[in-house]
Amino acid sequence: MTTNEPSISANDNLKGFLLAMLSSAFIGSSFIIKKLGLRRAGASGSRASSGGYGYLLEPLWWIGMITMIVGEFSNFVAYVYAPAILVTPLGAISIIVSAVLAHFFLKERLQKMGVLGCVLCVVGSTMIVLHAPGERTPSSVDEIWELAIQPTFLLYTASVIAIVLFLVLYCEPRYGQTNILIYVGICSIIGSLTVMSIKAIGIAIKLTLEGWSQVAHFQTWVFVMVAISCIIIQLNYLNKALDTFDTAVVSPIHYAMFTSFTIFASVIMFKDWSGQSASSIASELCGFVTILSGTVVLHDTRSPDPASVSEMYMSVSPQVSWYFPANGDTWKRQSEEMLLPDFDAILKQDHFT
């Protein structure tokens, strides 16, 4: 096979930009649709945050999944044409989409300052687009494999696996229900490996369609298996995060962590900053910081989900917990204590054995 000449094309960057924007619109919508589906499933069965999988029977959740798949496919193709340092930060547009839709469908109020957050995200994205590096297209999967087995990237991969195992085995059982960084951290860190694998697969497909088949290369299937495994882990922990915490919190934190780790991984593996001037790199970093600032403003100016009645109960067994209002506050009295007849008690049936 004849080796391709390095190609750095502004036209390819434009294609990647447009596909990334389309992807963000679909992914931002999918967060809201899936959240609605998780709410419905949780109202009639075990919640995803408690290890339940009732949401798999909820049609609305599947609509959200299909919407996300369409968005991820657009994102997949975007990575073929443009470097990760350009495509990944544009995911901030999904934050804007989810913020607006959550305001109308989830009743999560978007304050006036939220507009400033949206503007910051757009400005930051524009800065990154204007200074995004061109990218050399590898001539084969073998070449991508050589990038993946560099000592520096192998060290990064080993670090990711070690951190994820620590979060899953130690932190999740203890802090998963109270600390959002556990679920979102697992999803985001693994996501950086997902992006690297998907980019390799996308390039392999592109080269195959151009006449240089990559199907017979075992490296192609290694990347496929890694991508599938990472995506399954991501979806599992993203569902847990969405079901446990408010979308207004999950979206910006997931974006910030996922984008940071992905850019870091891409710089190590594909050397995106190689050949760029210091001013261009500084402009890209400033754009990224501006986007992060926008997501923080969006997060701080949105109201949390109103607590449902079912979420007011605490999982205590075998005793009964009694809840009643007093002077505007919610108080709890255990069954062993004396309960005055003047108060209306609410019993949670599954406390009985």
Side-chain angles (χ1 to χ4, degrees):
M1 181 180 70
T2 303
T3 303
N4 288 347
E5 292 298 323
S7 59
I8 298 179
S9 172
N11 187 48
D12 282 351
N13 272 4
L14 178 60
K15 290 178 182 177
F17 166 73
L18 294 176
L19 287 166
M21 294 289 287
L22 180 65
S23 169
S24 294
F26 277 97
I27 292 175
S29 302
S30 74
F31 270 101
I32 306 306
I33 300 172
K34 288 176 65 179
K35 178 75 171 185
L36 291 171
L38 288 169
R39 281 185 177 180
R40 286 189 183 181
S44 58
S46 180
R47 299 178 58 180
S49 58
S50 303
Y53 294 94
Y55 59 85
L56 295 176
L57 302 177
E58 175 56 51
L60 195 58
W61 184 85
W62 281 107
I63 294 174
M65 271 301 300
I66 293 172
T67 305
M68 175 171 280
I69 289 171
V70 173
E72 293 294 352
F73 179 77
S74 299
N75 208 41
F76 170 84
V77 180
Y79 279 115
V80 174
Y81 289 101
I85 199 170
L86 167 61
V87 176
T88 306
L90 291 177
I93 305 302
S94 68
I95 305 294
I96 299 176
V97 173
S98 65
V100 174
L101 294 180
H103 177 79
F104 292 104
F105 295 101
L106 299 180
K107 307 306 178 185
E108 299 173 4
R109 288 191 60 197
L110 177 62
Q111 306 293 342
K112 292 181 179 179
M113 281 295 292
V115 178
L116 175 60
C118 294
V119 171
L120 287 173
C121 289
V122 172
V123 171
S125 299
T126 303
M127 291 175 66
I128 291 177
V129 170
L130 291 177
H131 296 89
E135 186 175 55
R136 176 186 179 277
T137 301
S139 59
S140 69
V141 171
D142 294 333
E143 188 175 338
I144 305 173
W145 182 258
E146 290 298 320
L147 296 174
I149 60 174
Q150 299 171 91
T152 50
F153 190 74
L154 288 177
L155 177 61
Y156 174 79
T157 302
S159 301
V160 165
I161 294 173
I163 293 171
V164 168
L165 287 175
F166 174 73
L167 291 175
V168 171
L169 299 178
Y170 180 81
C171 297
E172 182 186 357
R174 294 169 174 79
Y175 314 112
Q177 294 291 312
T178 57
N179 191 329
I180 190 174
L181 294 179
I182 305 302
Y183 290 151
V184 176
I186 295 170
C187 181
S188 302
I189 296 171
I190 284 291
S192 65
L193 296 183
T194 304
V195 171
M196 298 303 101
S197 300
I198 284 179
K199 186 170 181 64
I201 296 168
I203 292 173
I205 292 175
K206 181 182 179 183
L207 291 172
T208 299
L209 294 176
E210 290 175 350
W212 295 296
S213 178
Q214 306 296 305
V215 176
H217 297 252
F218 82 92
Q219 294 94 333
T220 301
W221 300 106
V222 172
F223 286 126
V224 169
M225 294 305 298
V226 170
I228 292 174
S229 301
C230 291
I231 288 171
I232 290 173
I233 296 173
Q234 278 186 265
L235 287 176
N236 183 39
Y237 283 96
L238 181 58
N239 282 330
K240 288 186 177 183
L242 287 172
D243 198 38
T244 307
F245 304 99
D246 181 30
T247 311
V249 182
V250 174
S251 295
I253 293 179
H254 176 263
Y255 167 78
M257 294 183 69
F258 172 72
T259 303
S260 299
F261 280 107
T262 299
I263 289 177
F264 187 53
S266 183
V267 168
I268 293 174
M269 181 173 174
F270 290 101
K271 297 178 172 56
D272 289 333
W273 285 341
S274 178
Q276 275 204 294
S277 64
S279 61
S280 293
I281 295 174
S283 297
E284 291 164 20
L285 291 175
C286 287
F288 180 51
V289 171
T290 303
I291 293 175
L292 290 182
S293 301
T295 60
V296 170
V297 172
L298 276 171
H299 164 51
D300 288 342
T301 57
R302 290 171 63 185
S303 302
D305 281 335
S308 62
V309 174
S310 62
E311 291 172 335
M312 294 171 59
Y313 299 108
M314 297 184 64
S315 299
V316 288
S317 179
Q319 65 191 20
V320 178
S321 296
W322 308 79
Y323 290 83
F324 54 87
N327 297 326
D329 297 323
T330 300
W331 296 84
K332 171 185 168 186
R333 186 182 295 272
Q334 296 179 345
S335 59
E336 299 95 342
E337 302 177 34
M338 181 67 69
L339 183 66
L340 299 179
D342 295 332
F343 296 103
D344 292 326
I346 302 176
L347 297 180
K348 183 169 176 60
Q349 299 296 332
D350 59 10
H351 285 162
F352 295 100
T353 56

